[in-house]
Short mmCIF file of all heavy atoms in Angstrom, two decimals:
data_model
loop_
_atom_site.label_atom_id
_atom_site.label_comp_id
_atom_site.label_asym_id
_atom_site.label_seq_id
_atom_site.Cartn_x
_atom_site.Cartn_y
_atom_site.Cartn_z
N LEU A 808 -10.52 -30.22 8.74
CA LEU A 808 -8.99 -30.20 8.65
C LEU A 808 -8.34 -30.87 9.83
O LEU A 808 -8.79 -30.80 11.06
CB LEU A 808 -8.58 -28.69 8.55
CG LEU A 808 -9.18 -27.81 7.52
CD1 LEU A 808 -8.56 -26.43 7.62
CD2 LEU A 808 -8.98 -28.46 6.14
N ASN A 809 -7.21 -31.52 9.42
CA ASN A 809 -6.31 -32.17 10.50
C ASN A 809 -5.16 -31.16 10.65
O ASN A 809 -4.16 -31.23 9.94
CB ASN A 809 -6.02 -33.52 10.12
CG ASN A 809 -6.96 -34.49 9.91
OD1 ASN A 809 -7.96 -34.62 10.82
ND2 ASN A 809 -7.13 -35.08 8.68
N CYS A 810 -5.18 -30.37 11.79
CA CYS A 810 -4.23 -29.36 11.96
C CYS A 810 -3.25 -29.72 13.03
O CYS A 810 -3.43 -30.61 13.73
CB CYS A 810 -5.01 -28.01 12.36
SG CYS A 810 -6.18 -27.36 11.12
N VAL A 811 -2.18 -28.89 13.01
CA VAL A 811 -1.03 -29.00 14.02
C VAL A 811 -0.71 -27.64 14.63
O VAL A 811 -0.44 -26.67 13.80
CB VAL A 811 0.18 -29.71 13.27
CG1 VAL A 811 1.26 -29.84 14.28
CG2 VAL A 811 -0.16 -31.07 12.75
N ASN A 812 -0.54 -27.70 15.77
CA ASN A 812 0.12 -26.55 16.47
C ASN A 812 1.70 -26.63 16.39
O ASN A 812 2.27 -27.57 16.93
CB ASN A 812 -0.28 -26.43 17.93
CG ASN A 812 0.34 -25.27 18.64
OD1 ASN A 812 1.49 -24.86 18.46
ND2 ASN A 812 -0.48 -24.63 19.55
N LYS A 813 2.20 -25.83 15.53
CA LYS A 813 3.76 -26.11 15.19
C LYS A 813 4.60 -25.84 16.47
O LYS A 813 5.60 -26.49 16.38
CB LYS A 813 4.09 -25.06 13.99
CG LYS A 813 5.25 -25.61 13.28
CD LYS A 813 5.36 -24.57 12.00
CE LYS A 813 6.59 -25.26 11.16
NZ LYS A 813 6.76 -24.43 9.85
N GLU A 814 4.15 -25.14 17.31
CA GLU A 814 5.07 -24.87 18.55
C GLU A 814 4.99 -25.96 19.42
O GLU A 814 6.11 -26.28 20.01
CB GLU A 814 4.53 -23.51 19.13
CG GLU A 814 4.79 -22.26 18.34
CD GLU A 814 4.35 -21.04 19.10
OE1 GLU A 814 3.76 -21.18 20.29
OE2 GLU A 814 4.51 -19.90 18.58
N THR A 815 3.79 -26.64 19.71
CA THR A 815 3.70 -27.69 20.64
C THR A 815 3.64 -29.08 20.05
O THR A 815 3.81 -30.11 20.80
CB THR A 815 2.35 -27.57 21.56
OG1 THR A 815 1.25 -27.70 20.60
CG2 THR A 815 2.39 -26.09 22.07
N GLY A 816 3.33 -29.18 18.71
CA GLY A 816 3.27 -30.43 18.16
C GLY A 816 1.83 -31.05 18.35
O GLY A 816 1.46 -32.17 17.71
N GLU A 817 1.00 -30.46 19.04
CA GLU A 817 -0.39 -30.91 19.32
C GLU A 817 -1.22 -30.88 18.08
O GLU A 817 -1.19 -29.88 17.32
CB GLU A 817 -1.08 -30.10 20.34
CG GLU A 817 -2.45 -30.60 20.75
CD GLU A 817 -3.18 -29.72 21.75
OE1 GLU A 817 -2.46 -28.62 22.24
OE2 GLU A 817 -4.25 -29.85 22.10
N GLU A 818 -1.94 -31.95 17.74
CA GLU A 818 -2.84 -32.09 16.61
C GLU A 818 -4.23 -31.75 17.14
O GLU A 818 -4.66 -32.03 18.14
CB GLU A 818 -2.81 -33.46 16.04
CG GLU A 818 -1.39 -33.78 15.39
CD GLU A 818 -1.40 -35.02 14.70
OE1 GLU A 818 -2.44 -35.52 14.27
OE2 GLU A 818 -0.22 -35.45 14.29
N TYR A 819 -5.06 -31.08 16.11
CA TYR A 819 -6.31 -30.82 16.49
C TYR A 819 -7.27 -30.70 15.36
O TYR A 819 -6.68 -30.69 14.11
CB TYR A 819 -6.51 -29.41 17.24
CG TYR A 819 -6.03 -28.17 16.49
CD1 TYR A 819 -6.95 -27.43 15.73
CD2 TYR A 819 -4.62 -27.87 16.39
CE1 TYR A 819 -6.44 -26.32 15.10
CE2 TYR A 819 -4.29 -26.79 15.62
CZ TYR A 819 -5.11 -25.96 14.93
OH TYR A 819 -4.67 -24.92 14.25
N LYS A 820 -8.54 -30.64 15.33
CA LYS A 820 -9.49 -30.64 14.29
C LYS A 820 -10.01 -29.19 14.04
O LYS A 820 -10.29 -28.55 15.08
CB LYS A 820 -10.62 -31.57 14.46
CG LYS A 820 -10.27 -33.02 14.33
CD LYS A 820 -10.41 -33.46 12.96
CE LYS A 820 -10.33 -34.99 12.62
NZ LYS A 820 -10.68 -35.31 11.26
N LEU A 821 -10.16 -28.79 12.87
CA LEU A 821 -10.88 -27.53 12.71
C LEU A 821 -11.91 -27.95 11.57
O LEU A 821 -11.65 -28.24 10.45
CB LEU A 821 -9.87 -26.62 12.02
CG LEU A 821 -10.34 -25.15 11.74
CD1 LEU A 821 -10.84 -24.50 12.98
CD2 LEU A 821 -9.39 -24.25 10.99
N LEU A 855 4.28 -30.01 6.52
CA LEU A 855 3.09 -29.28 6.93
C LEU A 855 2.81 -28.28 5.83
O LEU A 855 3.54 -27.85 5.12
CB LEU A 855 3.31 -28.52 8.29
CG LEU A 855 3.67 -29.33 9.59
CD1 LEU A 855 4.01 -28.48 10.60
CD2 LEU A 855 2.35 -30.13 9.88
N PHE A 858 -1.86 -22.29 6.27
CA PHE A 858 -3.16 -22.09 5.68
C PHE A 858 -3.49 -20.63 6.22
O PHE A 858 -3.10 -20.13 7.34
CB PHE A 858 -4.35 -22.97 5.95
CG PHE A 858 -4.84 -23.12 7.41
CD1 PHE A 858 -5.71 -22.13 7.82
CD2 PHE A 858 -4.33 -24.13 8.29
CE1 PHE A 858 -6.21 -22.27 9.15
CE2 PHE A 858 -4.77 -24.14 9.48
CZ PHE A 858 -5.72 -23.28 10.02
N GLY A 893 -2.78 -21.13 10.32
CA GLY A 893 -2.38 -22.34 11.03
C GLY A 893 -1.63 -23.26 10.12
O GLY A 893 -1.19 -22.88 9.02
N TRP A 894 -1.42 -24.53 10.58
CA TRP A 894 -0.70 -25.54 9.71
C TRP A 894 -1.58 -26.74 9.77
O TRP A 894 -2.25 -27.11 10.75
CB TRP A 894 0.50 -25.89 10.38
CG TRP A 894 1.52 -24.69 10.28
CD1 TRP A 894 2.42 -24.39 9.41
CD2 TRP A 894 1.71 -23.63 11.40
NE1 TRP A 894 3.01 -23.25 9.74
CE2 TRP A 894 2.70 -22.70 10.94
CE3 TRP A 894 1.05 -23.56 12.66
CZ2 TRP A 894 3.11 -21.67 11.69
CZ3 TRP A 894 1.47 -22.43 13.31
CH2 TRP A 894 2.52 -21.55 12.91
N VAL A 895 -1.55 -27.41 8.57
CA VAL A 895 -2.59 -28.58 8.39
C VAL A 895 -1.76 -29.59 7.64
O VAL A 895 -0.92 -29.47 6.80
CB VAL A 895 -3.85 -28.11 7.60
CG1 VAL A 895 -3.36 -27.64 6.25
CG2 VAL A 895 -4.80 -29.34 7.44
N LYS A 896 -2.09 -30.86 8.05
CA LYS A 896 -1.40 -32.12 7.40
C LYS A 896 -2.38 -32.69 6.28
O LYS A 896 -1.89 -33.13 5.22
CB LYS A 896 -1.24 -33.12 8.33
CG LYS A 896 -0.05 -32.90 9.32
CD LYS A 896 0.16 -34.16 10.23
CE LYS A 896 1.42 -34.00 11.06
NZ LYS A 896 1.68 -35.31 11.79
#
Side-chain angles (χ1 to χ4, degrees):
L808 307 180
N809 299 308
C810 301
V811 177
N812 182 317
K813 204 169 184 178
E814 294 181 358
T815 66
E817 179 184 359
E818 298 189 10
Y819 64 96
K820 286 274 192 179
L821 184 63
L855 294 173
F858 73 82
W894 296 270
V895 60
K896 285 184 173 181

